[in-house]
């Protein structure tokens, strides 16, 4: 089988424990891109947090795609074209922000530059900034500020036991109109309904005229399982969750051992 595209999760997969792209991963990915393989960075991260990685891989020159917010937004790195953008309906912004305020937890979302939030000093807002290497902008009325650039995702951040209460209240209030789930014990994500990596990859592959059997998907987390099930070949890192590994056709070395490069060399650059 000749593989024409590879979807790469970032944290825990392409990026090592220091949140860096190793030299070997960079070289192997660039070589694959120059040979015509479509490189797709598929992550729950916001666009600014993925653009930093795309720049390191020179995808704006060699070509590639950003699949951000678990698939809520797809961007062509070379042209800047937005292929898909699904946003949370504006009528829910106030409910989300006010519910989080009631339980005294911070809320954040994103603009084209980085994070916008109602509590820039919150430790978990700071953590999200550090993970993505993006700036924070403090605003007074987040629900109003978000209307300027309608968000693909809101994040309520704080202690897990408090966020559980926020989740229950929002589930009750919004009645399934949006997805509400934990990506980390301290990160409660709110996204449009039906957003996940597999459905977005299907949209992108149709645009590119590539069959799913020609796609390799590499991941480590629970949110990578849908794209691993969808792809022709699924690769899990050695550091992946046990449940994620169950869906893998191949277990690559860990994200600290250039697992992505090993997979590309084995299945693409044979």
């Amino acid at each position: 089988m000749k593989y024409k595209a590879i979807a790469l999760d970032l944290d825990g997969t392409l990026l090592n424990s220091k949140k860096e792209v190793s030299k070997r991963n960079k070289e192997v990915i660039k070589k694959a891109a120059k040979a015509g393989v479509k490189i797709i960075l598929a992550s729950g991260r916001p666009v600014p947090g993925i653009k930093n990685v795309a720049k390191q891989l020179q995808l704006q020159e060699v070509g590639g795609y950003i699949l951000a917010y678990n698939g809520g937004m797809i961007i062509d790195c070379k042209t800047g074209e937005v292929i898909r953008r699904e946003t949370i309906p504006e009528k829910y912004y106030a409910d989300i922000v006010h519910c989080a305020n009631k339980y005294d937890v911070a809320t954040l979302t994103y603009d084209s530059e980085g994070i916008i939030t109602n509590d820039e000093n919150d430790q978990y807002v700071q953590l999200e900034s550090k993970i993505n290497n993006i700036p924070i902008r403090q605003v007074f009325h987040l629900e109003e500020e978000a209307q300027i650039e309608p968000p693909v995702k809101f994040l309520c951040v704080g202690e897990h036991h408090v966020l559980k209460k926020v989740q229950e209240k929002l589930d009750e209030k919004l009645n399934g109109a949006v997805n509400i789930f934990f990506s980390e014990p301290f990160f409660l994500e709110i996204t449009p309904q039906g957003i996940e990596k597999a459905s977005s990859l299907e949209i992108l592959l149709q645009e590119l005229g590539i069959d799913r059997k020609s796609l390799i998907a590499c991941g480590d987390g629970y949110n990578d399982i849908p794209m691993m099930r969808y792809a022709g070949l699924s690769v899990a890192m050695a550091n992946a969750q046990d449940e994620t590994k169950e869906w893998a056709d191949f277990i690559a070395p860990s994200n600290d051992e250039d697992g992505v490069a090993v997979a590309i060399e084995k299945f693409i650059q044979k």
Side-chain angles (χ1 to χ4, degrees):
M1 168 63 72
K2 186 180 179 186
Y3 295 104
K4 299 177 181 177
I6 182 163
L8 303 170
D9 171 57
L10 297 189
D11 299 285
T13 302
L14 174 60
L15 304 181
N16 60 25
S17 300
K18 294 176 182 175
K19 301 294 182 186
E20 298 168 341
V21 185
S22 71
K23 186 182 176 186
R24 183 179 175 195
N25 276 345
K26 276 183 198 170
E27 288 172 354
V28 171
I29 289 169
K30 282 183 204 169
K31 190 176 174 185
K34 284 174 182 173
V37 176
K38 305 299 182 187
I39 308 298
I40 307 162
L41 303 182
S43 172
R45 284 184 174 211
V47 173
I50 303 177
K51 275 187 173 176
N52 293 333
V53 179
K55 196 175 285 185
Q56 291 179 56
L57 298 172
Q58 298 175 346
L59 296 189
Q60 71 276 18
E61 295 161 26
V62 297
Y65 299 85
I66 287 172
L67 194 152
Y69 306 109
N70 273 331
M73 196 162 173
I74 306 172
I75 299 172
D76 183 327
C77 294
K78 217 169 195 177
T79 65
E81 179 196 357
V82 176
I83 296 166
R84 183 191 200 192
R85 182 185 172 96
E86 300 290 339
T87 58
I88 296 169
E90 192 178 302
K91 61 184 175 182
Y92 302 127
Y93 298 178
D95 285 334
I96 292 164
V97 175
H98 295 166
C99 183
N101 287 347
K102 183 182 174 185
Y103 290 96
D104 202 28
V105 298
T107 309
L108 64 87
T109 185
Y110 313 87
D111 60 15
S112 57
E113 301 299 319
I115 291 167
I116 54 172
T117 181
N118 50 15
D119 188 355
E120 65 183 343
N121 296 315
D122 181 271
Q123 63 172 317
Y124 297 111
V125 174
Q126 296 277 342
L127 177 61
E128 176 70 351
S129 168
K130 186 180 177 184
I131 289 169
N132 289 283
N133 191 27
I134 54 177
I136 303 168
R137 179 163 63 90
Q138 172 86 33
V139 297
F140 288 107
H141 299 290
L142 184 60
E143 66 274 28
E144 293 175 15
E145 194 72 26
Q147 293 172 24
I148 298 168
E149 200 171 324
V152 181
K153 178 171 88 169
F154 277 100
L155 203 57
C156 296
V157 299
E159 299 301 320
H160 187 71
H161 67 283
V162 182
L163 289 177
K164 283 287 288 179
K165 293 175 185 174
V166 176
Q167 183 185 34
E168 287 164 14
K169 198 71 181 171
L170 284 174
D171 274 334
E172 179 189 318
K173 200 166 185 66
L174 304 184
N175 195 28
V178 293
N179 284 335
I180 305 168
F181 61 94
F182 284 94
S183 56
E184 297 285 353
F186 40 81
F187 285 164
L188 181 65
E189 305 216 2
I190 298 126
T191 64
Q193 264 298 358
I195 295 299
E196 41 84 22
K197 293 182 181 182
S199 61
S200 291
L201 283 169
E202 185 167 30
I203 289 168
L204 179 57
L205 291 189
Q206 282 176 358
E207 182 91 3
L208 298 173
I210 295 174
D211 189 278
R212 61 189 273 189
K213 290 176 185 173
S214 300
L215 172 71
I216 299 175
C218 300
D220 74 299
Y222 297 120
N223 66 333
D224 297 319
I225 292 172
M227 74 169 180
M228 290 170 68
R229 290 172 65 182
Y230 174 77
L233 180 78
S234 58
V235 177
M237 303 298 109
N239 53 286
Q241 302 285 349
D242 288 340
E243 191 179 336
T244 307
K245 286 180 181 175
E246 287 175 17
W247 292 98
D249 299 307
F250 174 69
I251 307 293
S254 78
N255 63 319
D256 285 324
E257 300 168 301
D258 303 320
V260 165
V262 171
I264 291 173
E265 287 168 346
K266 181 175 177 65
F267 296 107
I268 294 176
Q269 297 171 355
K270 295 187 249 188

